[in-house]
Amino acid sequence: MSRRIEIFDTTLRDGEQTPGISLNVKEKLEVARQLEKLSVDVIEAGFPIASKGDFNAVKTIAENVRGPVIAGLARANFKDIDCAAEALKAAARPRIHTFIASSPIHMKYKLKMTEEEVLEAAVAAVKRAKSYVEDVEFSAEDASRSDVEFLCRLYEAAIKAGATVINVPDTVGYTTPREFGKLIRALMERVPGIENVKLSVHCHNDLGMAVANSLEAVACGATQIECAVNGLGERAGNAALEEVVMALDTRKDFFGFTHNINTKQIYRTSKLVSTLTGVAIQPNKAIVGANAFAHESGIHQHGVLAEKSTYEIMTPESVGLTTNRLVLGKHSGRHAFAQRLKELGYELAQDELNKAFERFKDLADKKKEITDMDIEAIVEDQVLKWPEHIELEYFQVSTGNQSIATATVKVKIDEEVVEEASTGDGPIDAAYKALERACNINCKLVDYSIRSVSSGKDALGEVTVKVEKDGRTFLGRGLSTDIIEASVIAYTNALNKTMFSNGNGKAREVI
Ligand code: KIV
Ligand code: ZN
């Protein structure tokens, strides 16, 4: 029988450590729910001791997401482990993931501990975690740069102490497929008891080999791959979930493994994570990039038209990309809209459906053809909406290449209506200054990006802004066929979050 490879998703933990990303609890829960639909085996929901936001996110996900195993990260000390256990208390299938560094360079300069001290701390940590939960994962951080002899002793001790999963991280993305495969084989041969536990790998992408290293590891005996959606993660990121899964899937003739992932949810998951994190996907990104299934050259187009498999090794449908792009228009009714939503996999409560339908009708007045991409953008915007304490009543801008841009905005902050005006370096700058004045918020715009959701002059524009306030980053998003309106909505959305967020920001302890 073919071996099943477990997919451990760390988008919400390692992925959330991507510079500039900060998701709040509601957004993390939304991602976790989507990961459940994707059918990952494990969701690493966060690092509970790192911040209140992380703790609350792990707790909320543990309370609400019942399918996959929910893991919480903890360093090898009692305080971290007790905190992770508390956050995971309500989980149907909790796992505590504890780690300590094992490489000479980390032990000497970071931990200032000897091998024996590290070994002792690891055993104590696993035992402590085991006193709370049955499922305990132990990671030897920087395993790929560790002494193999010591690594074998460390893993053997962790297994004896009760670890159910042994993880081998390539923390700095240093290893190569052949070298990593050799390490996995050595561990399989030399660590007593390893045959009774799950053997996991966690590869970083500093040299662009995270996916290749993970795949070679499973070919050599590993049974779990740790990865993140869109390859998010520290520095160059982690192994990309969608690449690992589609490699296993498309080349099952070669690998001979199975997996549990519902690949049709890949595109949706990638899109959601990109929208919420504000990290755009490069067009040529494997599997989920805009060009991943586009054939530009005449020779390729000719081949694909004659027989898809000439240049297509997997179908767009297999990752959930719909080919039915032209769907609804001005005359489509509520029933057709609800039906299309259902076909796209959205299940909305009645009031959400009503609001989404209203927005669809507004859009249909401005735009001739509504595509699946427009519908997805509307629904995501709708579902992920924050309670709006600041409501934009109206804005007006005046600009030109011979005049100073001016903007007037009127907002309702809870019940108070405020109107302000400002000049600026262009209409968007003027509107943003007027908004800051009206809301009495001082913050810094650190990123602004705009993309069109679909094609054509009347396409929906999606603006994403990142603002910084008191050392925390907040993301705002706006959607409109008018790009200035989309920009103003995005900034209002971000200001809302700075005022009322329960987000976790980046106030983390440094490991
Ligand atoms: O990269 C790493 O070593 C980690 C561990 C905590 C598993 O993220
Ligand atoms: Zn990592």
Side-chain angles (χ1 to χ4, degrees), residues 67-345:
V69 168
I70 307 296
L73 187 68
R75 288 168 296 191
N77 66 59
F78 287 3
K79 196 169 158 229
D80 278 34
I81 293 166
D82 296 351
C83 179
E86 181 62 29
L88 290 167
K89 228 176 187 168
R93 301 166 66 203
R95 176 183 295 177
I96 294 178
H97 176 190
T98 185
F99 72 99
I100 189 162
S102 56
S103 65
I105 194 163
H106 275 228
M107 289 191 291
K108 181 169 175 195
Y109 295 106
K110 188 179 79 168
L111 297 177
K112 299 183 177 35
M113 285 166 84
T114 64
E115 285 187 350
E116 293 321 304
E117 285 167 338
V118 165
L119 200 132
E120 210 176 288
V123 168
V126 172
K127 285 189 175 159
R128 181 75 165 197
K130 200 75 183 178
S131 72
Y132 292 111
V133 294
E134 173 47 37
D135 194 4
V136 175
E137 173 164 337
F138 172 72
S139 287
E141 193 191 6
D142 207 15
S144 55
R145 293 195 299 168
S146 302
D147 172 60
V148 180
E149 197 63 47
F150 174 57
L151 206 53
C152 289
R153 277 207 299 134
L154 187 59
Y155 284 143
E156 181 184 354
I159 293 169
K160 277 201 184 122
T164 45
V165 186
I166 288 298
N167 183 36
V168 189
D170 179 29
T171 302
V172 290
Y174 180 73
T175 197
T176 68
R178 199 185 304 164
E179 183 185 57
F180 200 49
K182 199 169 145 211
L183 174 63
I184 297 299
R185 263 193 247 107
L187 295 173
M188 301 264 297
E189 280 162 18
R190 290 164 58 178
V191 178
I194 203 159
E195 64 286 359
N196 302 323
V197 298
K198 291 176 186 167
L199 181 54
S200 172
V201 289
H202 175 110
C203 298
H204 278 269
N205 206 29
D206 299 66
L207 292 173
M209 290 187 281
V211 171
N213 288 333
S214 306
L215 293 171
E216 183 60 18
V218 288
C220 292
T223 56
Q224 174 180 281
I225 296 179
E226 302 196 357
C227 45
V229 175
N230 299 339
L232 293 180
E234 280 278 10
R235 307 180 309 279
N238 288 75
L241 179 146
E242 60 280 3
E243 295 179 23
V244 161
V245 169
M246 289 315 286
L248 290 174
D249 204 83
T250 309
R251 298 306 313 276
K252 48 182 166 300
D253 61 314
F254 175 76
F255 290 108
F257 302 135
T258 60
H259 62 77
N260 216 20
I261 298 296
N262 176 359
T263 62
K264 291 204 159 135
Q265 290 289 337
I266 284 182
Y267 177 70
R268 164 84 49 80
T269 313
S270 159
K271 182 85 196 339
L272 179 72
V273 168
S274 170
T275 301
L276 288 179
T277 57
V279 179
I281 300 164
Q282 74 196 57
N284 58 329
K285 164 85 179 63
I287 318 295
V288 291
N291 296 346
F293 294 95
H295 301 279
E296 184 69 21
S297 97
I299 297 174
H300 288 206
Q301 284 175 354
H302 175 77
V304 169
L305 286 175
E307 166 55 46
K308 276 191 176 169
S309 59
T310 48
Y311 287 99
E312 232 175 58
I313 58 167
M314 57 199 155
T315 64
E317 291 80 11
S318 65
V319 298
L321 256 171
T322 53
T323 44
N324 183 4
R325 299 239 163 260
L326 199 78
V327 277
L328 302 172
K330 198 171 165 164
H331 302 293
S332 308
R334 183 184 299 267
H335 183 71
F337 179 69
Q339 181 61 28
R340 191 65 199 141
L341 282 185
K342 215 167 154 197
E343 284 160 13
L344 290 171

Side-chain angles (χ1 to χ4, degrees), residues 10-48:
T10 186
T11 309
L12 294 173
R13 199 277 297 168
D14 216 323
E16 217 247 352
Q17 285 171 224
T18 304
I21 290 188
S22 172
L23 300 176
N24 61 54
V25 175
K26 184 177 177 218
E27 291 163 338
K28 285 184 181 177
L29 180 60
E30 205 59 50
V31 172
R33 287 204 162 115
Q34 180 57 33
L35 290 171
E36 188 177 29
K37 284 191 193 150
L38 182 65
S39 229
V40 300
D41 297 283
V42 185
I43 295 174
E44 187 164 48
F47 189 4

